[in-house]
């Protein structure tokens, strides 16, 4: 059995065409944005749709502090994040912001609304800005996950800053040969 060339050969497309999640509300959003992409041809809508399909790892959260930083001098625009807005205790003053996101943590929502801002959903955004007019599309940092610290050249290789998987950070855990000059060598 080979590849059926008549049928068009191998399918090399690996991007998602629908979300893996069975969340009915997410599926309704996908339905809405599929329609908007088809009928408006707006690039903004196409990006939002693509991000709605993404896995949770690829939809990293954005803190309130980072959001405020990105929205400086753009207070009249709507911030859009396909993901979660989380609270930031290091921030004391929150400006009045209009924010659209899939989720808000309880405290983040309360702080935005108490400051005179608005927390919108994507269906509300579709009514206000069907083409993504006056919006700022944001995303969180993917590399902020703790797991990413363990990626890279093996810990112990010269010039590697990769975090080892260690049970504890004590005196007797990976602190001997290769870790200090008095015990053979130090990388």
């Amino acid at each position: 059995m080979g590849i059926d060339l008549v049928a068009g050969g191998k399918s090399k497309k690996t991007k998602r065409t629908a979300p893996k999640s069975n969340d009915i509300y997410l599926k309704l959003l996908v339905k809405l944005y599929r329609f908007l992409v088809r009928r408006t041809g707006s690039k903004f809508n196409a990006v939002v749709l693509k991000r709605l399909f993404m896995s949770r790892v690829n939809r990293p959260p954005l803190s309130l502090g980072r959001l405020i930083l990105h929205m400086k001098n753009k207070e009249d625009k709507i911030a859009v994040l396909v993901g979660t807005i989380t609270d930031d205790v290091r921030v004391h003053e929150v400006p009045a912001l209009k924010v659209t996101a899939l989720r808000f943590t309880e405290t983040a929502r309360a702080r935005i609304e108490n400051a005179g801002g608005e927390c919108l959903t994507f269906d509300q955004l579709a009514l206000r800005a069907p083409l993504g007019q006056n919006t700022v599309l944001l995303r969180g940092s993917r590399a902020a996950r703790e797991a990413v610290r363990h990626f890279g050249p093996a810990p112990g290789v010269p010039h590697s800053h990769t975090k080892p998987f260690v049970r504890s950070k004590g005196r007797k855990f990976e602190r001997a040969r290769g870790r200090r000059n008095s015990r053979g060598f130090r990388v």
Side-chain angles (χ1 to χ4, degrees), residues 124-167:
Q124 288 170 319
L125 178 75
L127 290 170
R128 287 199 197 186
L131 302 172
Q133 315 94 310
N134 294 322
T135 57
V136 180
L137 191 56
L138 302 170
R139 52 180 163 183
S141 167
R142 277 184 206 189
R145 274 195 320 145
E146 199 278 334
V148 177
R149 293 180 186 186
H150 298 283
F151 301 162
V157 170
H159 313 300
S160 159
H161 295 286
T162 309
K163 186 178 179 179
F165 290 102
V166 185
R167 193 166 26 132

Side-chain angles (χ1 to χ4, degrees), residues 16-151:
R16 284 189 181 184
T17 52
K20 276 250 180 100
S21 165
N22 288 322
D23 183 352
I24 50 173
Y25 299 107
L26 182 65
K27 285 187 173 177
L28 282 170
L29 280 184
V30 166
K31 213 176 221 185
L32 168 66
Y33 273 88
R34 265 195 219 282
F35 171 79
L36 286 173
V37 169
R38 196 177 74 239
R39 294 298 295 266
T40 63
S42 153
K43 210 160 182 194
F44 169 85
N45 289 335
V47 172
V48 168
L49 180 66
K50 186 176 75 178
R51 290 188 191 175
L52 284 172
F53 297 159
M54 286 183 179
S55 62
R56 196 158 150 197
V57 166
N58 293 322
R59 284 186 284 109
L62 190 71
S63 74
L64 198 55
R66 198 46 69 97
L67 173 72
I68 292 164
L69 204 71
H70 286 309
M71 294 306 286
K72 205 174 177 189
N73 306 325
K74 299 182 196 136
E75 278 79 11
D76 54 332
K77 297 192 173 187
I78 303 172
V80 180
L81 176 93
V82 185
T84 310
I85 298 283
T86 55
D87 189 21
D88 195 340
V89 290
R90 299 166 298 183
V91 173
H92 301 299
E93 287 173 25
V94 181
L97 295 169
K98 290 193 200 98
V99 193
T100 304
L102 283 178
R103 283 180 63 242
F104 293 88
T105 60
E106 225 171 295
T107 42
R109 186 187 291 276
R111 289 186 72 182
I112 291 167
E113 286 172 351
N114 290 344
E118 272 186 291
C119 296
L120 305 168
T121 55
F122 275 94
D123 50 328
Q124 288 170 319
L125 178 75
L127 290 170
R128 287 199 197 186
L131 302 172
Q133 315 94 310
N134 294 322
T135 57
V136 180
L137 191 56
L138 302 170
R139 52 180 163 183
S141 167
R142 277 184 206 189
R145 274 195 320 145
E146 199 278 334
V148 177
R149 293 180 186 186
H150 298 283
F151 301 162

